[in-house]
Amino acid sequence: MRKPVIAGNWKMFKTIAEAVDFVEKIKPVAAKADHCEVIVAPPFTALAGAAGAAKGSKVAVSAQDIHWDKEGAHTGDVAPGMLVDAGCSHVIIGHSERRHDHGETDEQVNRKVKAALAAGLTPIVCVGETLAERESGRTADVLRSQFEGSLAGLTVSDFSRIIIAYEPVWAIGTGKTATPEIAAESHRILRDQARKQFGEKEAAAVRILYGGSVKPDNVSKLMAQEEIDGALVGGASLKVDSFSALVNYK
Ligand code: PEP
């Protein structure tokens, strides 16, 4: 009932031409992948090019960040309507690299989520604990509090439009993947929190992706977990062969 999602987060990689070329090559792969949704998240500069190439295909285009204002004096930021204008349907919000590099708080993530929803975008909201938090036994508290703060004030109908990504910070770009069991346990904590905040039906329906060093050789075991509804992938999403293998995890 929860359609899996394979999403590639390209971070600060790829020119416009490289992004367009990638989308052209992944389109036929996505077209055959009825079992999952396929999303790529290029940098801002390549969004319009990638979305143009993806038009009419099964490849959806996501931004990697958003500002909550409709417009204004915010140097370097990009407004929700601009992402829609560029052809985006999704936006990653609260990635740990934004939380850590730019000091983004749950409150800011919450404002961004609301702005994305208002613009008709699907937010992919990231949460995850650091190594120190895991080692001190605080994983569940951290996940609950990030979830609660990032999604505060959303209606049930708002919540039905979002995707969650569980991304343990210690597993991102480190080559250390959470075991399928560790990931599934965190997903259960998040789904329990969803139940408390939004009710049984919405909690059962929300898709929770796992992110953190997902590669072609570990994706199947992760996806075999009932609790894991897809993957948000950094490094292994940058090459067509490797991203194709992730899409074809089945
Ligand atoms: C990410 O950036 O969301 C991510 C999970 O990166 P990687 O797959 O490289 O660990």
Side-chain angles (χ1 to χ4, degrees), residues 41-94:
F44 285 132
T45 47
L47 285 175
K55 206 168 177 169
S57 80
K58 251 204 70 185
V59 179
V61 174
S62 173
Q64 299 173 18
D65 187 32
I66 189 171
H67 195 277
W68 51 79
D69 277 349
K70 284 197 174 125
E71 57 184 8
H74 301 297
T75 303
D77 282 317
V78 178
M82 295 170 181
L83 300 182
V84 174
D85 186 43
C88 294
S89 52
H90 294 69
V91 54
I92 298 170
I93 301 179

Short mmCIF file of all heavy atoms in Angstrom, two decimals, residues 41-94:
data_model
loop_
_atom_site.label_atom_id
_atom_site.label_comp_id
_atom_site.label_asym_id
_atom_site.label_seq_id
_atom_site.Cartn_x
_atom_site.Cartn_y
_atom_site.Cartn_z
N ALA A 41 17.31 14.87 -7.24
CA ALA A 41 17.38 16.21 -6.64
C ALA A 41 18.68 16.90 -7.05
O ALA A 41 19.70 16.78 -6.37
CB ALA A 41 17.28 16.10 -5.12
N PRO A 42 18.65 17.59 -8.20
CA PRO A 42 19.85 18.31 -8.66
C PRO A 42 20.05 19.60 -7.85
O PRO A 42 19.14 20.04 -7.16
CB PRO A 42 19.51 18.67 -10.11
CG PRO A 42 18.23 17.95 -10.44
CD PRO A 42 17.54 17.71 -9.15
N PRO A 43 21.23 20.23 -8.00
CA PRO A 43 21.41 21.55 -7.38
C PRO A 43 20.49 22.57 -8.06
O PRO A 43 19.99 22.33 -9.16
CB PRO A 43 22.88 21.87 -7.63
CG PRO A 43 23.29 20.99 -8.76
CD PRO A 43 22.41 19.77 -8.71
N PHE A 44 20.27 23.71 -7.40
CA PHE A 44 19.33 24.72 -7.93
C PHE A 44 19.57 25.05 -9.39
O PHE A 44 18.63 25.16 -10.18
CB PHE A 44 19.43 26.03 -7.13
CG PHE A 44 18.80 25.96 -5.77
CD1 PHE A 44 19.48 26.41 -4.64
CD2 PHE A 44 17.51 25.48 -5.60
CE1 PHE A 44 18.88 26.37 -3.38
CE2 PHE A 44 16.90 25.43 -4.35
CZ PHE A 44 17.60 25.88 -3.24
N THR A 45 20.85 25.22 -9.76
CA THR A 45 21.17 25.67 -11.11
C THR A 45 20.71 24.70 -12.20
O THR A 45 20.46 25.10 -13.33
CB THR A 45 22.70 25.85 -11.25
OG1 THR A 45 23.31 24.68 -10.71
CG2 THR A 45 23.20 27.09 -10.54
N ALA A 46 20.61 23.43 -11.85
CA ALA A 46 20.27 22.41 -12.85
C ALA A 46 18.81 21.97 -12.77
O ALA A 46 18.40 21.07 -13.51
CB ALA A 46 21.21 21.21 -12.70
N LEU A 47 18.03 22.59 -11.87
CA LEU A 47 16.64 22.13 -11.70
C LEU A 47 15.82 22.27 -12.97
O LEU A 47 15.15 21.32 -13.39
CB LEU A 47 15.96 22.91 -10.56
CG LEU A 47 16.36 22.52 -9.14
CD1 LEU A 47 15.71 23.45 -8.13
CD2 LEU A 47 16.01 21.07 -8.83
N ALA A 48 15.84 23.44 -13.56
CA ALA A 48 14.98 23.67 -14.73
C ALA A 48 15.40 22.77 -15.89
O ALA A 48 14.54 22.20 -16.58
CB ALA A 48 15.02 25.14 -15.14
N GLY A 49 16.70 22.61 -16.07
CA GLY A 49 17.19 21.73 -17.15
C GLY A 49 16.75 20.30 -16.92
O GLY A 49 16.23 19.63 -17.83
N ALA A 50 16.93 19.82 -15.68
CA ALA A 50 16.56 18.43 -15.36
C ALA A 50 15.06 18.25 -15.50
O ALA A 50 14.59 17.24 -16.04
CB ALA A 50 17.02 18.09 -13.94
N ALA A 51 14.29 19.23 -15.02
CA ALA A 51 12.82 19.11 -15.08
C ALA A 51 12.35 19.14 -16.53
O ALA A 51 11.41 18.43 -16.90
CB ALA A 51 12.17 20.21 -14.27
N GLY A 52 13.00 19.94 -17.36
CA GLY A 52 12.65 19.98 -18.79
C GLY A 52 12.87 18.63 -19.43
O GLY A 52 12.03 18.12 -20.18
N ALA A 53 14.00 18.01 -19.10
CA ALA A 53 14.32 16.69 -19.66
C ALA A 53 13.38 15.62 -19.12
O ALA A 53 13.06 14.65 -19.80
CB ALA A 53 15.77 16.33 -19.33
N ALA A 54 12.92 15.80 -17.88
CA ALA A 54 12.08 14.78 -17.23
C ALA A 54 10.61 14.90 -17.59
O ALA A 54 9.82 14.00 -17.31
CB ALA A 54 12.22 14.89 -15.71
N LYS A 55 10.24 16.01 -18.20
CA LYS A 55 8.82 16.28 -18.49
C LYS A 55 8.15 15.10 -19.20
O LYS A 55 8.67 14.55 -20.16
CB LYS A 55 8.72 17.53 -19.37
CG LYS A 55 7.40 18.22 -19.18
CD LYS A 55 7.40 19.57 -19.81
CE LYS A 55 5.98 20.10 -19.59
NZ LYS A 55 5.81 21.44 -19.87
N GLY A 56 6.98 14.73 -18.69
CA GLY A 56 6.22 13.66 -19.33
C GLY A 56 6.74 12.26 -19.00
O GLY A 56 6.20 11.28 -19.50
N SER A 57 7.80 12.18 -18.19
CA SER A 57 8.35 10.87 -17.85
C SER A 57 8.01 10.51 -16.41
O SER A 57 7.34 11.26 -15.71
CB SER A 57 9.88 10.88 -18.01
OG SER A 57 10.48 11.49 -16.88
N LYS A 58 8.52 9.38 -15.95
CA LYS A 58 8.27 8.92 -14.59
C LYS A 58 9.30 9.47 -13.60
O LYS A 58 9.29 9.12 -12.42
CB LYS A 58 8.30 7.40 -14.55
CG LYS A 58 6.94 6.77 -14.35
CD LYS A 58 7.07 5.38 -13.74
CE LYS A 58 7.54 5.42 -12.30
NZ LYS A 58 7.79 4.10 -11.72
N VAL A 59 10.21 10.31 -14.11
CA VAL A 59 11.23 10.85 -13.21
C VAL A 59 10.73 12.18 -12.64
O VAL A 59 10.38 13.09 -13.38
CB VAL A 59 12.56 11.10 -13.99
CG1 VAL A 59 13.62 11.69 -13.07
CG2 VAL A 59 13.04 9.81 -14.64
N ALA A 60 10.67 12.26 -11.32
CA ALA A 60 10.25 13.51 -10.67
C ALA A 60 11.50 14.27 -10.23
O ALA A 60 12.54 13.67 -9.95
CB ALA A 60 9.38 13.20 -9.47
N VAL A 61 11.38 15.60 -10.21
CA VAL A 61 12.53 16.43 -9.85
C VAL A 61 12.27 17.15 -8.53
O VAL A 61 11.21 17.72 -8.31
CB VAL A 61 12.85 17.42 -10.99
CG1 VAL A 61 13.95 18.39 -10.58
CG2 VAL A 61 13.26 16.66 -12.25
N SER A 62 13.28 17.07 -7.67
CA SER A 62 13.17 17.66 -6.33
C SER A 62 14.26 18.71 -6.16
O SER A 62 15.38 18.53 -6.64
CB SER A 62 13.37 16.56 -5.28
OG SER A 62 13.43 17.11 -3.98
N ALA A 63 13.94 19.77 -5.40
CA ALA A 63 14.98 20.70 -4.97
C ALA A 63 15.60 20.15 -3.69
O ALA A 63 15.08 19.20 -3.10
CB ALA A 63 14.38 22.08 -4.73
N GLN A 64 16.70 20.76 -3.27
CA GLN A 64 17.38 20.28 -2.05
C GLN A 64 17.11 21.18 -0.86
O GLN A 64 17.54 20.88 0.27
CB GLN A 64 18.88 20.21 -2.30
CG GLN A 64 19.29 19.27 -3.40
CD GLN A 64 20.77 19.35 -3.72
OE1 GLN A 64 21.57 19.85 -2.93
NE2 GLN A 64 21.16 18.86 -4.88
N ASP A 65 16.44 22.31 -1.10
CA ASP A 65 16.14 23.25 -0.02
C ASP A 65 15.11 24.25 -0.54
O ASP A 65 14.84 24.29 -1.75
CB ASP A 65 17.42 23.98 0.43
CG ASP A 65 17.21 24.85 1.66
OD1 ASP A 65 16.38 24.48 2.51
OD2 ASP A 65 17.88 25.90 1.76
N ILE A 66 14.59 25.07 0.34
CA ILE A 66 13.54 26.03 -0.02
C ILE A 66 13.56 27.14 1.03
O ILE A 66 13.98 26.91 2.17
CB ILE A 66 12.17 25.29 -0.01
CG1 ILE A 66 11.04 26.12 -0.56
CG2 ILE A 66 11.81 24.80 1.40
CD1 ILE A 66 9.74 25.31 -0.75
N HIS A 67 13.10 28.32 0.65
CA HIS A 67 12.86 29.35 1.68
C HIS A 67 11.36 29.41 1.95
O HIS A 67 10.57 29.02 1.09
CB HIS A 67 13.36 30.73 1.19
CG HIS A 67 13.47 31.72 2.32
ND1 HIS A 67 12.39 32.43 2.79
CD2 HIS A 67 14.51 32.07 3.10
CE1 HIS A 67 12.77 33.18 3.81
NE2 HIS A 67 14.06 32.99 4.02
N TRP A 68 10.99 29.85 3.14
CA TRP A 68 9.55 29.85 3.48
C TRP A 68 8.81 31.07 2.95
O TRP A 68 7.59 31.02 2.83
CB TRP A 68 9.35 29.74 5.00
CG TRP A 68 10.14 30.72 5.79
CD1 TRP A 68 9.85 32.03 6.00
CD2 TRP A 68 11.37 30.46 6.47
NE1 TRP A 68 10.83 32.61 6.77
CE2 TRP A 68 11.76 31.67 7.09
CE3 TRP A 68 12.16 29.32 6.63
CZ2 TRP A 68 12.93 31.77 7.84
CZ3 TRP A 68 13.31 29.44 7.39
CH2 TRP A 68 13.69 30.63 7.97
N ASP A 69 9.54 32.14 2.60
CA ASP A 69 8.83 33.33 2.10
C ASP A 69 8.53 33.19 0.61
O ASP A 69 9.26 32.53 -0.12
CB ASP A 69 9.67 34.58 2.32
CG ASP A 69 9.50 35.12 3.73
OD1 ASP A 69 8.58 34.65 4.44
OD2 ASP A 69 10.30 35.98 4.13
N LYS A 70 7.47 33.88 0.20
CA LYS A 70 7.09 33.83 -1.21
C LYS A 70 8.09 34.58 -2.08
O LYS A 70 8.32 34.25 -3.24
CB LYS A 70 5.71 34.46 -1.39
CG LYS A 70 4.61 33.52 -0.91
CD LYS A 70 3.26 33.94 -1.45
CE LYS A 70 2.21 32.93 -1.10
NZ LYS A 70 1.08 33.46 -0.38
N GLU A 71 8.64 35.67 -1.54
CA GLU A 71 9.71 36.43 -2.19
C GLU A 71 10.29 37.35 -1.13
O GLU A 71 9.75 37.43 -0.03
CB GLU A 71 9.19 37.23 -3.40
CG GLU A 71 8.07 38.18 -3.08
CD GLU A 71 7.52 38.88 -4.33
OE1 GLU A 71 7.91 38.51 -5.45
OE2 GLU A 71 6.71 39.80 -4.15
N GLY A 72 11.38 38.04 -1.44
CA GLY A 72 11.90 38.96 -0.44
C GLY A 72 13.41 39.10 -0.51
O GLY A 72 14.07 38.54 -1.38
N ALA A 73 13.93 39.87 0.45
CA ALA A 73 15.36 40.17 0.48
C ALA A 73 16.08 39.04 1.22
O ALA A 73 16.38 39.15 2.41
CB ALA A 73 15.58 41.51 1.17
N HIS A 74 16.31 37.93 0.54
CA HIS A 74 16.97 36.77 1.15
C HIS A 74 18.05 36.29 0.18
O HIS A 74 17.81 35.36 -0.62
CB HIS A 74 15.97 35.65 1.40
CG HIS A 74 14.85 36.05 2.31
ND1 HIS A 74 15.05 36.43 3.62
CD2 HIS A 74 13.51 36.16 2.10
CE1 HIS A 74 13.89 36.74 4.18
NE2 HIS A 74 12.94 36.60 3.27
N THR A 75 19.18 36.93 0.22
CA THR A 75 20.24 36.64 -0.74
C THR A 75 20.65 35.16 -0.72
O THR A 75 20.92 34.61 0.35
CB THR A 75 21.47 37.53 -0.41
OG1 THR A 75 21.04 38.89 -0.45
CG2 THR A 75 22.59 37.31 -1.43
N GLY A 76 20.62 34.56 -1.88
CA GLY A 76 21.06 33.17 -2.00
C GLY A 76 19.95 32.16 -1.80
O GLY A 76 20.15 30.97 -2.03
N ASP A 77 18.78 32.62 -1.34
CA ASP A 77 17.68 31.67 -1.11
C ASP A 77 16.77 31.57 -2.32
O ASP A 77 16.78 32.42 -3.20
CB ASP A 77 16.87 32.10 0.12
CG ASP A 77 17.57 31.74 1.41
OD1 ASP A 77 18.10 30.62 1.49
OD2 ASP A 77 17.60 32.58 2.32
N VAL A 78 15.95 30.53 -2.33
CA VAL A 78 15.04 30.28 -3.45
C VAL A 78 13.63 30.04 -2.91
O VAL A 78 13.44 29.25 -1.97
CB VAL A 78 15.53 29.08 -4.30
CG1 VAL A 78 14.57 28.81 -5.43
CG2 VAL A 78 16.92 29.37 -4.87
N ALA A 79 12.66 30.75 -3.47
CA ALA A 79 11.28 30.72 -2.97
C ALA A 79 10.51 29.51 -3.50
O ALA A 79 10.83 28.98 -4.57
CB ALA A 79 10.57 32.01 -3.40
N PRO A 80 9.45 29.11 -2.77
CA PRO A 80 8.64 27.95 -3.19
C PRO A 80 8.13 28.08 -4.63
O PRO A 80 8.25 27.13 -5.41
CB PRO A 80 7.48 27.96 -2.19
CG PRO A 80 8.01 28.65 -0.99
CD PRO A 80 8.99 29.65 -1.48
N GLY A 81 7.58 29.24 -4.98
CA GLY A 81 7.03 29.43 -6.32
C GLY A 81 8.09 29.30 -7.40
O GLY A 81 7.80 28.89 -8.54
N MET A 82 9.34 29.66 -7.05
CA MET A 82 10.43 29.55 -8.03
C MET A 82 10.75 28.09 -8.32
O MET A 82 11.10 27.72 -9.45
CB MET A 82 11.68 30.26 -7.50
CG MET A 82 11.51 31.76 -7.35
SD MET A 82 12.91 32.46 -6.44
CE MET A 82 12.40 34.18 -6.40
N LEU A 83 10.63 27.26 -7.29
CA LEU A 83 10.89 25.82 -7.48
C LEU A 83 9.81 25.21 -8.37
O LEU A 83 10.10 24.40 -9.25
CB LEU A 83 10.94 25.09 -6.13
CG LEU A 83 12.02 25.57 -5.15
CD1 LEU A 83 11.98 24.75 -3.88
CD2 LEU A 83 13.40 25.50 -5.80
N VAL A 84 8.57 25.63 -8.13
CA VAL A 84 7.47 25.14 -8.97
C VAL A 84 7.70 25.61 -10.41
O VAL A 84 7.57 24.85 -11.36
CB VAL A 84 6.11 25.64 -8.43
CG1 VAL A 84 4.98 25.26 -9.37
CG2 VAL A 84 5.86 25.07 -7.02
N ASP A 85 8.08 26.88 -10.54
CA ASP A 85 8.34 27.46 -11.86
C ASP A 85 9.45 26.69 -12.60
O ASP A 85 9.40 26.51 -13.82
CB ASP A 85 8.76 28.93 -11.65
CG ASP A 85 8.92 29.69 -12.95
OD1 ASP A 85 8.06 29.52 -13.84
OD2 ASP A 85 9.90 30.44 -13.09
N ALA A 86 10.43 26.20 -11.83
CA ALA A 86 11.55 25.46 -12.44
C ALA A 86 11.14 24.03 -12.81
O ALA A 86 11.89 23.32 -13.47
CB ALA A 86 12.74 25.43 -11.50
N GLY A 87 9.96 23.60 -12.35
CA GLY A 87 9.48 22.27 -12.72
C GLY A 87 9.61 21.22 -11.62
O GLY A 87 9.45 20.03 -11.87
N CYS A 88 9.89 21.68 -10.39
CA CYS A 88 10.01 20.72 -9.27
C CYS A 88 8.64 20.27 -8.79
O CYS A 88 7.69 21.04 -8.79
CB CYS A 88 10.68 21.37 -8.07
SG CYS A 88 12.36 21.80 -8.34
N SER A 89 8.59 19.02 -8.31
CA SER A 89 7.38 18.52 -7.64
C SER A 89 7.68 18.20 -6.18
O SER A 89 6.77 18.04 -5.38
CB SER A 89 6.88 17.26 -8.35
OG SER A 89 7.94 16.33 -8.49
N HIS A 90 8.96 18.07 -5.84
CA HIS A 90 9.36 17.68 -4.48
C HIS A 90 10.44 18.64 -3.97
O HIS A 90 11.08 19.32 -4.76
CB HIS A 90 9.95 16.26 -4.47
CG HIS A 90 8.98 15.18 -4.82
ND1 HIS A 90 8.44 15.03 -6.08
CD2 HIS A 90 8.45 14.17 -4.07
CE1 HIS A 90 7.61 13.99 -6.09
NE2 HIS A 90 7.60 13.45 -4.88
N VAL A 91 10.64 18.63 -2.66
CA VAL A 91 11.77 19.38 -2.10
C VAL A 91 12.26 18.68 -0.83
O VAL A 91 11.46 18.30 0.02
CB VAL A 91 11.41 20.87 -1.84
CG1 VAL A 91 10.18 21.04 -0.96
CG2 VAL A 91 12.59 21.62 -1.22
N ILE A 92 13.57 18.49 -0.77
CA ILE A 92 14.18 17.91 0.44
C ILE A 92 14.28 19.04 1.47
O ILE A 92 14.75 20.15 1.15
CB ILE A 92 15.60 17.36 0.13
CG1 ILE A 92 15.52 16.22 -0.90
CG2 ILE A 92 16.30 16.90 1.40
CD1 ILE A 92 16.88 15.77 -1.45
N ILE A 93 13.84 18.76 2.68
CA ILE A 93 13.87 19.80 3.72
C ILE A 93 14.50 19.22 4.99
O ILE A 93 14.20 18.10 5.40
CB ILE A 93 12.45 20.32 4.03
CG1 ILE A 93 11.81 20.90 2.76
CG2 ILE A 93 12.49 21.38 5.14
CD1 ILE A 93 10.38 21.42 2.94
N GLY A 94 15.42 20.01 5.59
CA GLY A 94 16.02 19.61 6.86
C GLY A 94 17.07 18.52 6.73
O GLY A 94 17.34 17.79 7.69
#
